[in-house]
């Protein structure tokens, strides 16, 4: 791993996020930059953690799940534990999405049925008005 460091604005610019978001992740204990006076100095590990958080958010992981993955980060072992855990979380998320798709399809059918009944009821009331007139 390189010894390069990053300022908060470097990371924000490079990863296209706000400095406020970075500070939030720091407050949540997901990042731990060094301090030089008031200045935060981020390590390559912090950058990797931040990338993992952002990727996790995009695929629907909670911050707790991101934290678990970050805690497993160990480049000396090739990150095998982290990768296995990530694969398990991906499979779990995929299963949740499949269930949501089924739920959405069921809801669409129910909406179609409700719509059809409303249209029929409306037609009946219109016919009833025509007979009265």
């Amino acid at each position: 791993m390189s010894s390069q460091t990053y300022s908060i604005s470097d990371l924000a610019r490079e990863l296209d996020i706000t400095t406020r978001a970075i500070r939030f992740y720091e407050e949540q204990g997901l990042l731990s930059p060094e301090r030089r006076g008031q200045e935060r100095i981020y390590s390559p590990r912090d950058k990797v953690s931040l990338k993992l958080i952002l990727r996790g958010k995009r695929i629907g992981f909670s911050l707790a799940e991101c934290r678990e993955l970050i805690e497993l980060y160990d480049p000396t072992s090739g990150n095998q534990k982290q990768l296995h855990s990530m694969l398990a979380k991906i499979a779990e998320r995929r299963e949740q999405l499949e269930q949501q798709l089924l739920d959405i399809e069921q809801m669409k059918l129910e909406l179609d049925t409700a719509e059809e009944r409303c249209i029929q009821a409306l037609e009946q009331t219109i016919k009833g008005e025509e007979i009265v007139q």
Side-chain angles (χ1 to χ4, degrees):
M1 195 180 304
S2 86
S3 61
Q4 181 176 2
T5 59
Y6 308 90
S7 70
I8 194 168
S9 56
D10 291 338
L11 286 179
R13 188 173 34 261
E14 189 172 332
L15 300 174
D16 195 28
I17 60 173
T18 64
T19 56
R20 184 176 179 181
I22 295 171
R23 285 191 298 273
F24 171 77
Y25 296 132
E26 184 182 340
E27 289 166 8
Q28 297 300 308
L30 297 168
L31 302 172
S32 52
E34 289 181 33
R35 297 282 188 150
R36 289 191 196 140
Q38 292 288 72
E39 186 181 12
R40 293 169 168 88
I41 307 296
Y42 294 89
S43 68
R45 181 184 178 105
D46 290 319
K47 182 178 175 183
V48 168
S49 295
L50 195 49
K51 284 181 173 181
L52 186 59
I53 293 164
L54 297 173
R55 183 177 304 127
K57 278 184 52 183
R58 280 193 306 273
I59 58 178
F61 290 172
S62 68
L63 282 183
E65 289 171 315
C66 291
R67 181 186 323 279
E68 277 180 52
L69 292 170
I70 289 167
E71 288 171 356
L72 293 173
Y73 179 71
D74 180 14
T76 61
S77 72
N79 290 311
Q80 287 187 17
K81 284 183 182 180
Q82 184 188 47
L83 293 170
H84 284 295
S85 181
M86 181 112 174
L87 285 171
K89 288 183 184 315
I90 287 170
E92 185 179 312
R93 182 69 181 132
R94 187 181 311 275
E95 192 175 301
Q96 289 170 347
L97 288 172
E98 292 295 333
Q99 184 58 54
Q100 286 177 331
L101 278 173
L102 291 173
D103 293 344
I104 289 168
E105 287 301 320
Q106 181 62 39
M107 193 178 297
K108 284 172 58 179
L109 289 173
E110 290 176 18
L111 285 170
D112 290 345
T113 301
E115 180 181 43
E116 191 176 310
R117 287 183 180 164
C118 286
I119 290 170
Q120 288 173 356
L122 188 58
E123 287 172 353
Q124 291 298 324
T125 61
I126 291 172
K127 285 180 185 175
E129 287 176 5
E130 289 174 357
I131 294 172
V132 172
Q133 293 177 356

